[in-house]
Amino acid sequence: MVNLSDIIREDHAVYINDNEGNMVAYVTFPFDEDGIVNINRTFVDGSLRGMGIAKKLMDACYQVIKEKGYKVRITCSYAVKYFSENIDKKDVFYDEKI
């Protein structure tokens, strides 16, 4: 079983590896342009779905973005849903209309 406290945080991704070191869940947010990242993909392996892992990854993603001082654009449908349910986190948006 995956331990959620083991979310790995990098400059442009947050992810969870299984016990064998295979990435089983992730959120990626590469640069679109200087200082602006695009949350473009969220993935959770089917065996882990329904456990709230995507939300925890998005929480970690938000923390990294906030700490780095990035601004955000979103093309990932799950990220759109996450931010619509967590409007207090829209402070990192590049375009407030999202």
Side-chain angles (χ1 to χ4, degrees):
M1 191 58 170
V2 173
N3 184 349
L4 294 180
S5 66
D6 291 332
I7 294 176
I8 300 162
R9 293 164 172 82
E10 295 184 348
D11 288 351
H12 297 282
V14 293
Y15 57 93
I16 298 171
N17 290 338
D18 65 12
N19 293 334
E20 287 79 44
N22 300 308
M23 191 179 297
V24 293
Y26 60 85
V27 173
T28 57
F29 44 101
F31 277 127
D32 258 1
E33 58 186 90
D34 191 33
I36 302 170
V37 295
N38 178 7
I39 302 175
N40 65 349
R41 184 152 166 89
T42 300
F43 171 79
V44 176
D45 185 77
S47 65
L48 300 173
R49 292 195 182 138
M51 301 169 62
I53 291 175
K55 182 185 181 315
K56 291 195 181 293
L57 285 170
M58 285 300 303
D59 288 342
C61 172
Y62 171 78
Q63 290 172 346
V64 170
I65 288 167
K66 186 91 169 157
E67 289 168 7
K68 297 287 182 182
Y70 299 154
K71 290 296 181 182
V72 175
R73 288 189 181 122
I74 299 173
T75 57
C76 169
S77 60
Y78 181 80
V80 170
K81 178 181 183 286
Y82 172 85
F83 281 102
S84 71
E85 294 172 353
N86 295 276
I87 58 172
D88 60 311
K89 293 184 170 45
K90 287 187 174 184
D91 61 318
V92 296
F93 279 19
Y94 175 72
D95 182 352
E96 289 295 327
K97 292 180 269 183
I98 297 175

